[in-house]
Amino acid sequence: TDGKAGMAVVLDDPAAPTDMNTLATDLKKNGLPSYARPCFIRLTKHIELTGTFKVKKNVYQDEGFDVKLMTEPVYYLNQQKQTYERLTSEIYDSIMNEKIKF
């Protein structure tokens, strides 16, 4: 959103599920500055590619982080706890109404 909130799309392996708490800790521990950490993380089982094996970013940009448009889980960075939590429609509405800011 205006360059402030980034989203990372992560390929989620069912054999080794992504632990969101470990991910948040590792991002902070390995020195990634707070402004560079993604505010949203979307877990997906399949990343769409073009014919030249580039990621089709438009698909993800069009859906954004609207949980009503997708079936895949999206997590947001809770600024107070510094952990990633599952995005619900109530939290999505709070973000859109600017009750939760990044």
Side-chain angles (χ1 to χ4, degrees):
T1 310
D2 296 331
K4 296 178 186 175
M7 176 182 283
V9 178
V10 177
L11 189 60
D12 194 31
D13 183 6
T18 305
D19 182 3
M20 299 309 289
N21 290 328
T22 303
L23 179 62
T25 303
D26 288 348
L27 288 174
K28 188 174 183 178
K29 185 173 84 175
N30 290 321
L32 191 63
S34 61
Y35 61 83
R37 293 181 207 139
C39 294
F40 300 96
I41 294 181
R42 177 176 175 174
L43 299 180
T44 185
K45 293 180 180 14
H46 174 72
I47 294 180
E48 293 190 45
L49 302 175
T50 65
T52 56
F53 302 105
K54 294 180 183 176
V55 176
K56 288 186 179 180
K57 292 185 269 185
N58 292 4
V59 174
Y60 302 113
Q61 289 170 344
D62 292 343
E63 292 177 346
F65 59 95
D66 189 350
V67 292
K68 298 166 190 152
L69 295 178
M70 64 187 83
T71 58
E72 300 170 329
V74 177
Y75 294 83
Y76 79 102
L77 181 60
N78 184 322
Q79 297 290 342
Q80 295 164 338
K81 298 179 185 177
Q82 289 297 306
T83 59
Y84 286 100
E85 297 179 1
R86 182 82 182 253
L87 186 65
T88 63
S89 45
E90 292 82 21
I91 295 171
Y92 173 80
D93 292 336
S94 294
I95 292 170
M96 296 310 291
N97 293 325
E98 297 183 4
K99 293 178 183 173
I100 297 176
K101 297 183 182 183
F102 293 95

XYZ file of all heavy atoms in Angstrom:
817
model
N 0.849 -1.169 0.000
C 0.000 0.000 0.000
C 0.890 1.227 0.000
O 1.529 1.506 0.995
C -0.915 -0.001 1.234
O -1.540 -1.264 1.333
C -1.949 1.075 1.168
N 0.961 1.920 -1.107
C 1.808 3.096 -1.267
C 3.256 2.819 -0.881
O 3.926 3.663 -0.295
C 1.273 4.269 -0.430
C -0.092 4.719 -0.889
O -0.379 4.565 -2.089
O -0.865 5.219 -0.060
N 3.735 1.609 -1.174
C 5.120 1.272 -0.902
C 5.416 0.959 0.548
O 6.551 0.699 0.915
N 4.413 0.961 1.406
C 4.644 0.739 2.825
C 4.477 -0.715 3.243
O 5.110 -1.163 4.170
C 3.695 1.601 3.653
C 3.911 3.076 3.484
C 2.899 3.837 4.304
C 2.996 5.324 4.054
N 1.951 6.051 4.743
N 3.594 -1.427 2.589
C 3.278 -2.784 3.025
C 3.570 -3.761 1.900
O 2.971 -3.691 0.844
C 1.812 -2.887 3.435
N 4.506 -4.652 2.135
C 4.852 -5.635 1.130
C 4.240 -6.983 1.442
O 3.849 -7.275 2.570
N 4.151 -7.810 0.399
C 3.642 -9.163 0.578
C 4.633 -10.141 -0.044
O 5.137 -9.897 -1.135
C 2.282 -9.356 -0.089
C 1.795 -10.804 0.019
S 0.234 -11.119 -0.790
C -0.886 -10.434 0.389
N 4.876 -11.209 0.656
C 5.691 -12.293 0.130
C 4.777 -13.485 -0.107
O 3.912 -13.788 0.714
C 6.795 -12.663 1.112
N 4.960 -14.120 -1.245
C 4.226 -15.348 -1.551
C 5.210 -16.487 -1.359
O 6.267 -16.517 -1.992
C 3.670 -15.340 -2.986
C 2.962 -16.643 -3.292
C 2.718 -14.171 -3.171
N 4.876 -17.405 -0.470
C 5.773 -18.498 -0.111
C 5.153 -19.810 -0.537
O 3.989 -20.080 -0.237
C 6.046 -18.497 1.416
C 6.920 -19.663 1.816
C 6.675 -17.181 1.844
N 5.947 -20.609 -1.219
C 5.503 -21.942 -1.615
C 5.521 -22.820 -0.378
O 6.573 -23.030 0.233
C 6.417 -22.498 -2.702
C 5.986 -23.782 -3.371
C 4.635 -23.609 -4.061
C 7.015 -24.223 -4.387
N 4.354 -23.305 0.012
C 4.219 -24.100 1.241
C 4.285 -25.581 0.894
O 3.468 -26.083 0.128
C 2.889 -23.764 1.923
C 2.820 -24.285 3.338
O 3.866 -24.370 3.996
O 1.706 -24.592 3.790
N 5.257 -26.242 1.450
C 5.455 -27.671 1.221
C 4.659 -28.460 2.265
O 4.908 -28.324 3.459
C 6.944 -28.006 1.325
C 7.252 -29.461 1.040
O 6.340 -30.205 0.638
O 8.423 -29.855 1.212
N 3.687 -29.283 1.831
C 2.892 -30.045 2.805
C 3.743 -30.993 3.667
O 3.399 -31.283 4.803
C 1.918 -30.844 1.945
C 1.959 -30.237 0.596
C 3.254 -29.507 0.461
N 4.877 -31.440 3.131
C 5.746 -32.343 3.881
C 6.472 -31.608 5.010
O 6.817 -32.212 6.029
C 6.759 -32.998 2.953
N 6.714 -30.315 4.826
C 7.383 -29.506 5.844
C 6.675 -28.155 5.927
O 7.103 -27.180 5.326
C 8.849 -29.313 5.491
N 5.549 -28.097 6.646
C 4.769 -26.856 6.707
C 5.579 -25.688 7.276
O 6.468 -25.876 8.104
C 3.600 -27.206 7.620
C 3.742 -28.613 8.009
C 4.997 -29.155 7.445
N 5.250 -24.500 6.825
C 5.934 -23.284 7.252
C 5.474 -22.899 8.650
O 4.283 -22.760 8.902
C 5.624 -22.137 6.271
O 5.967 -22.555 4.953
C 6.396 -20.895 6.624
N 6.427 -22.724 9.550
C 6.133 -22.271 10.909
C 6.269 -20.750 10.924
O 7.373 -20.213 10.787
C 7.100 -22.909 11.905
C 6.823 -22.507 13.338
O 5.838 -21.776 13.593
O 7.599 -22.924 14.221
N 5.176 -20.056 11.057
C 5.162 -18.605 10.952
C 5.920 -17.923 12.101
O 6.536 -16.887 11.908
C 3.727 -18.092 10.881
C 2.956 -18.610 9.674
S 3.805 -18.394 8.095
C 3.696 -16.643 7.897
N 5.892 -18.513 13.295
C 6.636 -17.929 14.416
C 8.133 -18.016 14.174
O 8.868 -17.067 14.440
C 6.274 -18.617 15.733
C 4.863 -18.293 16.171
O 4.361 -17.200 15.914
N 4.213 -19.238 16.810
N 8.593 -19.150 13.666
C 10.007 -19.310 13.354
C 10.419 -18.358 12.243
O 11.489 -17.755 12.299
C 10.308 -20.767 12.936
O 9.897 -21.641 13.991
C 11.776 -20.969 12.654
N 9.565 -18.205 11.256
C 9.850 -17.297 10.149
C 10.014 -15.871 10.655
O 10.969 -15.171 10.295
C 8.744 -17.372 9.101
C 8.892 -16.463 7.891
C 10.151 -16.804 7.107
C 7.673 -16.570 7.001
N 9.108 -15.400 11.491
C 9.191 -14.036 12.034
C 10.466 -13.853 12.850
O 11.157 -12.831 12.719
C 7.962 -13.731 12.883
N 10.797 -14.836 13.659
C 12.002 -14.771 14.481
C 13.253 -14.747 13.611
O 14.169 -13.955 13.842
C 12.062 -15.971 15.452
O 10.871 -15.974 16.240
C 13.276 -15.893 16.352
N 13.290 -15.604 12.594
C 14.458 -15.671 11.715
C 14.644 -14.391 10.912
O 15.778 -13.947 10.708
C 14.355 -16.862 10.769
C 14.572 -18.195 11.468
O 15.034 -18.194 12.635
O 14.274 -19.242 10.858
N 13.553 -13.791 10.446
C 13.663 -12.534 9.705
C 14.274 -11.446 10.575
O 15.113 -10.671 10.124
C 12.295 -12.086 9.190
C 11.699 -12.895 8.047
C 10.282 -12.411 7.742
C 12.565 -12.815 6.805
N 13.863 -11.404 11.825
C 14.384 -10.394 12.748
C 15.813 -10.716 13.161
O 16.686 -9.851 13.165
C 13.476 -10.318 13.971
C 13.809 -9.185 14.900
C 12.779 -9.092 16.008
C 13.075 -7.920 16.902
N 12.089 -7.773 17.957
N 16.071 -11.985 13.464
C 17.378 -12.412 13.962
C 18.475 -12.259 12.907
O 19.612 -11.926 13.226
C 17.294 -13.869 14.429
C 18.567 -14.392 15.076
C 18.360 -15.771 15.660
C 18.539 -16.796 14.566
N 18.476 -18.172 15.062
N 18.121 -12.486 11.645
C 19.127 -12.423 10.581
C 19.357 -11.012 10.052
O 19.978 -10.839 9.015
C 18.749 -13.373 9.444
C 18.898 -14.822 9.873
O 19.838 -15.169 10.572
N 17.967 -15.654 9.466
N 18.842 -10.031 10.757
C 19.179 -8.652 10.467
C 18.369 -7.974 9.377
O 18.758 -6.903 8.915
N 17.246 -8.553 8.977
C 16.410 -7.877 7.986
C 15.731 -6.698 8.678
O 15.020 -6.878 9.665
C 15.366 -8.841 7.422
C 14.589 -8.366 6.207
C 15.526 -8.158 5.019
C 13.517 -9.368 5.832
N 15.967 -5.469 8.200
C 15.382 -4.307 8.883
C 13.860 -4.364 8.896
O 13.247 -4.964 8.018
C 15.866 -3.114 8.057
C 16.697 -3.651 6.964
C 16.717 -5.126 7.030
N 13.259 -3.734 9.870
C 11.803 -3.798 10.039
C 11.065 -3.275 8.813
O 10.022 -3.811 8.447
C 11.373 -3.038 11.286
O 11.747 -1.682 11.167
N 11.606 -2.268 8.133
C 10.926 -1.729 6.955
C 10.989 -2.678 5.759
O 10.227 -2.543 4.822
C 11.492 -0.365 6.563
C 12.963 -0.392 6.198
C 13.379 -0.760 4.927
C 13.931 -0.051 7.138
C 14.722 -0.788 4.593
C 15.271 -0.075 6.811
C 15.664 -0.438 5.546
O 16.992 -0.474 5.214
N 11.887 -3.671 5.802
C 12.029 -4.609 4.687
C 11.284 -5.922 4.930
O 11.167 -6.736 4.025
C 13.502 -4.898 4.436
N 10.777 -6.117 6.130
C 10.035 -7.346 6.424
C 8.650 -7.258 5.808
O 7.981 -6.229 5.909
C 9.909 -7.547 7.929
C 11.234 -7.829 8.585
C 11.086 -8.055 10.081
N 12.360 -7.679 10.693
C 12.483 -7.012 11.814
N 11.424 -6.644 12.507
N 13.674 -6.700 12.277
N 8.196 -8.351 5.171
C 6.860 -8.296 4.569
C 5.775 -8.158 5.626
O 5.812 -8.809 6.666
C 6.739 -9.618 3.821
C 7.796 -10.494 4.380
C 8.856 -9.621 4.957
N 4.807 -7.291 5.344
C 3.680 -7.113 6.254
C 2.663 -8.232 6.085
O 1.901 -8.513 6.999
C 3.012 -5.768 6.007
S 4.077 -4.387 6.418
N 2.667 -8.864 4.911
C 1.756 -9.970 4.627
C 2.540 -11.123 4.015
O 3.445 -10.900 3.214
C 0.653 -9.544 3.649
C -0.188 -8.422 4.160
C 0.094 -7.110 3.800
C -1.257 -8.664 4.998
C -0.672 -6.064 4.262
C -2.029 -7.621 5.474
C -1.734 -6.316 5.100
N 2.183 -12.326 4.405
C 2.762 -13.524 3.802
C 1.617 -14.423 3.376
O 0.732 -14.750 4.174
C 3.701 -14.266 4.772
C 4.912 -13.389 5.070
C 4.130 -15.603 4.191
C 5.933 -14.006 5.986
N 1.655 -14.795 2.115
C 0.631 -15.683 1.554
C 1.273 -17.032 1.285
O 2.285 -17.134 0.601
C 0.104 -15.078 0.259
C -0.901 -15.943 -0.445
C -1.421 -15.217 -1.662
N -2.305 -16.049 -2.441
C -2.987 -15.628 -3.485
N -2.891 -14.368 -3.871
N -3.771 -16.432 -4.148
N 0.702 -18.067 1.855
C 1.189 -19.424 1.622
C 0.402 -20.030 0.464
O -0.827 -19.960 0.441
C 1.017 -20.283 2.876
C 1.775 -19.809 4.111
C 1.518 -20.758 5.272
C 3.258 -19.696 3.843
N 1.108 -20.608 -0.477
C 0.457 -21.185 -1.644
C 1.045 -22.554 -1.952
O 2.198 -22.838 -1.607
C 0.583 -20.249 -2.867
O -0.149 -20.792 -3.939
C 2.028 -20.058 -3.280
N 0.252 -23.386 -2.584
C 0.721 -24.715 -2.979
C 1.276 -24.705 -4.397
O 1.944 -25.625 -4.816
C -0.423 -25.715 -2.877
C -0.878 -25.957 -1.448
C -2.017 -26.945 -1.424
C -2.583 -27.280 -0.097
N -2.333 -26.572 1.053
N 0.987 -23.618 -5.152
C 1.424 -23.532 -6.544
C 1.656 -22.068 -6.917
O 0.786 -21.230 -6.695
C 0.358 -24.139 -7.462
C 0.643 -23.974 -8.911
N 1.626 -24.678 -9.553
C 0.096 -23.166 -9.849
C 1.653 -24.327 -10.827
N 0.734 -23.400 -11.029
N 2.818 -21.769 -7.472
C 3.117 -20.422 -7.932
C 2.990 -20.417 -9.450
O 3.629 -21.210 -10.142
C 4.529 -19.980 -7.496
C 4.571 -19.863 -5.972
C 4.917 -18.667 -8.152
C 5.895 -19.440 -5.398
N 2.138 -19.521 -9.953
C 1.911 -19.449 -11.394
C 3.092 -18.783 -12.090
O 3.575 -17.742 -11.649
C 0.630 -18.662 -11.672
C -0.608 -19.379 -11.180
C -1.872 -18.707 -11.670
O -1.934 -18.369 -12.865
O -2.765 -18.538 -10.850
N 3.548 -19.411 -13.179
C 4.694 -18.909 -13.929
C 4.305 -18.623 -15.375
O 3.363 -19.210 -15.902
C 5.830 -19.942 -13.922
C 6.362 -20.375 -12.555
C 7.379 -21.487 -12.713
C 6.965 -19.205 -11.817
N 5.063 -17.728 -16.007
C 4.873 -17.448 -17.428
C 5.606 -18.512 -18.236
O 6.256 -19.400 -17.687
C 5.441 -16.064 -17.792
O 6.864 -16.090 -17.610
C 4.822 -14.969 -16.954
N 5.550 -18.381 -19.561
C 6.257 -19.319 -20.436
C 7.761 -19.246 -20.288
O 8.479 -20.207 -20.617
N 8.268 -18.116 -19.784
C 9.710 -17.970 -19.569
C 10.080 -18.133 -18.090
O 11.118 -17.658 -17.647
C 10.198 -16.602 -20.088
O 9.440 -15.570 -19.443
C 10.048 -16.504 -21.593
N 9.205 -18.791 -17.334
C 9.434 -19.146 -15.927
C 9.582 -17.946 -15.000
O 10.328 -17.991 -14.027
C 10.632 -20.087 -15.786
C 10.467 -21.346 -16.569
C 11.167 -21.525 -17.755
C 9.593 -22.338 -16.161
C 11.002 -22.679 -18.513
C 9.428 -23.488 -16.900
C 10.133 -23.659 -18.084
N 8.880 -16.883 -15.304
C 8.818 -15.740 -14.393
C 7.497 -15.808 -13.639
O 6.506 -16.314 -14.151
C 8.894 -14.428 -15.172
C 10.228 -14.229 -15.863
C 10.240 -12.923 -16.611
C 11.556 -12.771 -17.348
N 11.559 -11.551 -18.173
N 7.495 -15.308 -12.418
C 6.291 -15.337 -11.587
C 5.253 -14.376 -12.166
O 5.569 -13.245 -12.515
C 6.621 -14.949 -10.132
C 5.367 -14.883 -9.287
C 7.609 -15.936 -9.530
N 4.009 -14.860 -12.253
C 2.906 -14.004 -12.695
C 2.456 -13.145 -11.513
O 1.524 -13.480 -10.798
C 1.735 -14.849 -13.205
C 1.982 -15.517 -14.517
C 0.707 -16.190 -14.993
C 0.892 -16.850 -16.326
N -0.340 -17.500 -16.798
N 3.138 -12.029 -11.331
C 2.864 -11.165 -10.186
C 1.497 -10.501 -10.257
O 0.912 -10.185 -9.229
C 3.951 -10.101 -10.060
C 5.296 -10.663 -9.670
C 6.293 -9.566 -9.449
C 6.989 -9.295 -10.761
N 8.068 -8.323 -10.661
N 0.998 -10.290 -11.468
C -0.299 -9.611 -11.610
C -1.418 -10.359 -10.901
O -2.326 -9.734 -10.352
C -0.651 -9.435 -13.087
C 0.267 -8.457 -13.777
O 1.212 -7.975 -13.173
N 0.007 -8.176 -15.026
N -1.360 -11.678 -10.923
C -2.384 -12.477 -10.247
C -2.396 -12.139 -8.758
O -3.446 -11.900 -8.166
C -2.121 -13.989 -10.449
C -3.083 -14.831 -9.629
C -2.197 -14.346 -11.920
N -1.226 -12.095 -8.146
C -1.125 -11.821 -6.715
C -1.416 -10.351 -6.412
O -2.024 -10.031 -5.391
C 0.264 -12.213 -6.200
C 0.571 -13.670 -6.465
C 1.556 -14.038 -7.354
C -0.171 -14.673 -5.859
C 1.821 -15.373 -7.612
C 0.082 -16.005 -6.112
C 1.087 -16.349 -6.992
O 1.336 -17.663 -7.250
N -1.007 -9.443 -7.303
C -1.271 -8.019 -7.098
C -2.763 -7.723 -7.169
O -3.279 -6.914 -6.390
C -0.523 -7.193 -8.134
C 0.972 -7.185 -7.914
C 1.732 -6.558 -9.075
O 1.194 -6.396 -10.161
N 2.986 -6.227 -8.839
N -3.462 -8.367 -8.102
C -4.900 -8.132 -8.236
C -5.673 -8.601 -7.007
O -6.625 -7.951 -6.574
C -5.449 -8.829 -9.491
C -4.944 -8.196 -10.776
O -4.442 -7.048 -10.732
O -5.031 -8.855 -11.830
N -5.270 -9.739 -6.443
C -5.966 -10.258 -5.261
C -5.538 -9.532 -3.998
O -6.303 -9.454 -3.044
C -5.709 -11.759 -5.119
C -6.368 -12.576 -6.215
C -6.057 -14.050 -6.124
O -5.134 -14.435 -5.377
O -6.732 -14.818 -6.810
N -4.326 -9.001 -3.979
C -3.834 -8.304 -2.800
C -3.848 -9.202 -1.571
O -3.422 -10.344 -1.623
N -4.395 -8.695 -0.482
C -4.497 -9.497 0.741
C -5.955 -9.665 1.165
O -6.255 -9.931 2.322
C -3.654 -8.891 1.875
C -4.026 -7.483 2.246
C -4.902 -7.256 3.284
C -3.500 -6.410 1.568
C -5.258 -5.961 3.642
C -3.837 -5.111 1.921
C -4.721 -4.886 2.959
N -6.848 -9.529 0.203
C -8.280 -9.659 0.469
C -8.629 -11.139 0.665
O -8.630 -11.915 -0.285
C -9.095 -9.076 -0.684
C -10.581 -8.985 -0.373
O -11.016 -9.548 0.654
O -11.296 -8.339 -1.154
N -8.928 -11.505 1.896
C -9.210 -12.911 2.212
C -10.507 -13.395 1.577
O -10.737 -14.597 1.490
C -9.247 -13.152 3.743
C -7.880 -12.981 4.349
C -10.248 -12.243 4.421
N -11.330 -12.468 1.107
C -12.588 -12.864 0.464
C -12.362 -13.310 -0.974
O -13.221 -13.968 -1.555
C -13.568 -11.699 0.501
C -13.921 -11.277 1.918
C -14.598 -9.939 1.961
C -14.686 -9.471 3.405
N -14.706 -8.050 3.537
N -11.217 -12.960 -1.562
C -10.928 -13.307 -2.951
C -10.115 -14.583 -3.111
O -9.947 -15.069 -4.212
C -10.157 -12.154 -3.633
C -10.887 -10.841 -3.787
C -9.977 -9.809 -4.427
C -12.154 -11.028 -4.613
N -9.563 -15.110 -2.020
C -8.673 -16.270 -2.139
C -8.990 -17.326 -1.098
O -9.630 -17.050 -0.082
C -7.227 -15.824 -2.027
C -6.883 -15.226 -0.688
S -5.250 -14.523 -0.618
C -5.544 -12.932 -1.322
N -8.551 -18.538 -1.392
C -8.770 -19.651 -0.472
C -7.495 -19.993 0.299
O -7.550 -20.736 1.264
C -9.231 -20.897 -1.243
O -8.249 -21.233 -2.223
C -10.571 -20.650 -1.920
N -6.362 -19.444 -0.137
C -5.088 -19.742 0.518
C -4.916 -18.883 1.769
O -5.425 -17.767 1.835
C -3.933 -19.468 -0.451
C -4.017 -20.310 -1.687
C -3.039 -19.895 -2.753
O -2.712 -18.694 -2.838
O -2.617 -20.760 -3.510
N -4.186 -19.403 2.757
C -4.003 -18.624 3.987
C -3.077 -17.425 3.773
O -2.085 -17.505 3.059
C -3.389 -19.630 4.953
C -2.758 -20.666 4.098
C -3.562 -20.719 2.838
N -3.440 -16.318 4.404
C -2.627 -15.114 4.398
C -2.379 -14.740 5.852
O -3.281 -14.804 6.685
C -3.338 -13.951 3.670
C -2.510 -12.677 3.745
C -3.620 -14.313 2.231
N -1.150 -14.358 6.141
C -0.769 -13.964 7.496
C -0.332 -12.506 7.464
O 0.220 -12.034 6.472
C 0.376 -14.836 8.009
C -0.039 -16.276 8.197
C -0.045 -17.161 7.128
C -0.439 -16.742 9.438
C -0.451 -18.481 7.287
C -0.843 -18.052 9.603
C -0.842 -18.919 8.535
O -1.251 -20.204 8.696
N -0.585 -11.783 8.547
C -0.150 -10.399 8.639
C 0.788 -10.254 9.825
O 0.742 -11.024 10.781
C -1.344 -9.440 8.770
C -1.934 -9.366 10.158
C -1.651 -8.299 10.998
C -2.763 -10.374 10.634
C -2.181 -8.236 12.271
C -3.300 -10.322 11.903
C -3.004 -9.250 12.714
O -3.520 -9.204 13.983
N 1.669 -9.269 9.737
C 2.630 -9.030 10.804
C 1.978 -8.191 11.890
O 1.652 -7.018 11.674
C 3.869 -8.315 10.255
C 4.979 -8.024 11.254
C 5.511 -9.323 11.867
C 6.104 -7.258 10.578
N 1.753 -8.817 13.036
C 1.219 -8.102 14.194
C 2.363 -7.267 14.760
O 3.322 -7.803 15.300
C 0.690 -9.098 15.223
C 0.029 -8.418 16.401
O 0.478 -7.381 16.864
N -1.037 -9.022 16.890
N 2.275 -5.952 14.605
C 3.359 -5.053 14.983
C 3.666 -5.096 16.480
O 4.820 -4.953 16.879
C 3.017 -3.614 14.566
C 2.862 -3.430 13.080
C 4.177 -3.535 12.326
O 5.251 -3.417 12.894
N 4.084 -3.769 11.035
N 2.648 -5.291 17.302
C 2.860 -5.296 18.747
C 3.579 -6.551 19.208
O 4.473 -6.496 20.039
C 1.529 -5.139 19.470
C 0.895 -3.794 19.194
C -0.569 -3.765 19.576
O -1.227 -4.793 19.659
N -1.086 -2.558 19.776
N 3.191 -7.698 18.666
C 3.789 -8.969 19.075
C 4.990 -9.365 18.225
O 5.735 -10.262 18.599
C 2.749 -10.085 18.988
C 1.564 -9.896 19.897
C 0.589 -11.040 19.711
C -0.667 -10.849 20.510
N -1.644 -11.927 20.263
N 5.156 -8.716 17.054
C 6.207 -9.044 16.098
C 6.143 -10.507 15.669
O 7.149 -11.192 15.548
C 7.595 -8.704 16.669
C 7.854 -7.211 16.757
C 7.851 -6.542 15.387
O 8.571 -6.952 14.505
N 7.009 -5.540 15.209
N 4.903 -10.984 15.459
C 4.674 -12.336 14.962
C 3.684 -12.259 13.804
O 2.951 -11.281 13.671
C 4.091 -13.260 16.056
O 2.851 -12.705 16.502
C 5.042 -13.424 17.219
N 3.672 -13.312 12.997
C 2.706 -13.397 11.913
C 1.481 -14.144 12.401
O 1.598 -15.227 12.968
C 3.309 -14.097 10.696
C 4.281 -13.219 9.957
C 5.647 -13.348 10.134
C 3.830 -12.231 9.094
C 6.533 -12.536 9.452
C 4.706 -11.406 8.416
C 6.056 -11.571 8.606
O 6.934 -10.758 7.935
N 0.307 -13.545 12.185
C -0.956 -14.146 12.600
C -1.866 -14.294 11.394
O -1.786 -13.510 10.448
C -1.622 -13.286 13.673
C -0.805 -13.177 14.937
C -1.460 -12.299 15.988
O -2.576 -11.783 15.754
O -0.856 -12.134 17.049
N -2.732 -15.279 11.446
C -3.649 -15.549 10.338
C -4.585 -14.365 10.127
O -5.154 -13.837 11.087
C -4.442 -16.823 10.643
C -5.405 -17.267 9.571
C -4.677 -18.044 8.499
N -5.549 -18.443 7.429
C -5.972 -19.680 7.224
N -5.583 -20.647 8.025
N -6.752 -19.949 6.210
N -4.704 -13.935 8.890
C -5.573 -12.818 8.538
C -7.008 -13.325 8.420
O -7.285 -14.255 7.676
C -5.108 -12.203 7.212
C -5.811 -10.940 6.763
C -5.539 -9.792 7.723
C -5.355 -10.558 5.360
N -7.894 -12.713 9.177
C -9.316 -13.050 9.123
C -10.060 -11.898 8.460
O -9.508 -10.812 8.270
C -9.881 -13.275 10.533
O -9.774 -12.047 11.259
C -9.141 -14.386 11.268
N -11.310 -12.117 8.134
C -12.084 -11.045 7.504
C -12.284 -9.871 8.466
O -12.335 -8.720 8.033
C -13.419 -11.551 6.965
O -14.065 -12.374 7.857
N -12.355 -10.124 9.769
C -12.489 -9.043 10.743
C -11.210 -8.198 10.785
O -11.275 -6.968 10.827
C -12.789 -9.584 12.151
C -14.147 -10.230 12.293
C -14.170 -11.677 11.809
O -13.097 -12.319 11.730
O -15.269 -12.156 11.485
N -10.066 -8.857 10.779
C -8.798 -8.127 10.790
C -8.616 -7.385 9.469
O -8.157 -6.238 9.447
C -7.617 -9.080 11.068
C -7.760 -9.651 12.479
C -6.284 -8.372 10.922
C -6.792 -10.755 12.810
N -9.011 -8.015 8.366
C -8.943 -7.356 7.057
C -9.762 -6.064 7.072
O -9.299 -5.016 6.619
C -9.454 -8.299 5.966
C -9.567 -7.639 4.612
C -8.449 -7.461 3.809
C -10.799 -7.167 4.146
C -8.550 -6.830 2.574
C -10.906 -6.549 2.917
C -9.776 -6.387 2.136
O -9.874 -5.760 0.926
N -10.989 -6.128 7.619
C -11.828 -4.935 7.708
C -11.186 -3.856 8.582
O -11.255 -2.669 8.266
C -13.219 -5.294 8.231
C -14.023 -6.131 7.238
O -13.727 -6.067 6.015
O -14.939 -6.847 7.684
N -10.540 -4.269 9.668
C -9.857 -3.308 10.544
C -8.705 -2.622 9.821
O -8.470 -1.428 10.005
C -9.325 -4.007 11.800
O -10.388 -4.477 12.587
N -7.982 -3.381 8.989
C -6.887 -2.791 8.216
C -7.448 -1.807 7.201
O -6.934 -0.695 7.038
C -6.065 -3.895 7.515
C -5.319 -4.730 8.559
C -5.081 -3.285 6.514
C -4.679 -5.985 8.003
N -8.515 -2.186 6.515
C -9.108 -1.323 5.497
C -9.711 -0.052 6.116
O -9.742 0.993 5.481
C -10.165 -2.080 4.695
C -9.595 -3.247 3.900
S -8.163 -2.851 2.886
C -8.900 -1.809 1.649
N -10.188 -0.145 7.360
C -10.744 1.014 8.064
C -9.675 1.778 8.840
O -9.998 2.665 9.634
C -11.867 0.581 9.008
C -13.069 0.064 8.255
O -13.389 0.548 7.182
N -13.736 -0.938 8.806
N -8.407 1.388 8.645
C -7.243 2.018 9.261
C -7.236 1.951 10.784
O -6.679 2.817 11.444
C -7.091 3.453 8.771
C -6.846 3.544 7.278
C -6.626 4.957 6.790
O -6.595 5.895 7.628
O -6.490 5.133 5.581
N -7.882 0.931 11.342
C -7.794 0.702 12.788
C -6.492 -0.027 13.116
O -5.971 0.108 14.217
C -8.994 -0.091 13.280
C -10.287 0.680 13.181
C -11.466 -0.138 13.638
C -12.754 0.649 13.463
N -13.932 -0.152 13.739
N -5.988 -0.811 12.163
C -4.679 -1.463 12.262
C -3.810 -0.838 11.186
O -4.195 -0.807 10.017
C -4.776 -2.983 12.054
C -5.624 -3.623 13.139
C -3.389 -3.606 12.037
C -5.855 -5.108 12.952
N -2.654 -0.324 11.568
C -1.754 0.333 10.633
C -0.401 -0.355 10.620
O -0.015 -0.999 11.580
C -1.599 1.798 10.987
C -2.885 2.579 10.880
C -2.678 4.029 11.170
C -4.012 4.762 11.092
N -3.868 6.184 11.284
N 0.293 -0.176 9.516
C 1.622 -0.755 9.369
C 2.667 0.321 9.295
O 2.483 1.405 8.887
C 1.690 -1.636 8.105
C 0.834 -2.847 8.225
C -0.443 -2.864 7.719
C 1.301 -3.974 8.857
C -1.229 -3.985 7.816
C 0.516 -5.105 8.971
C -0.763 -5.104 8.452
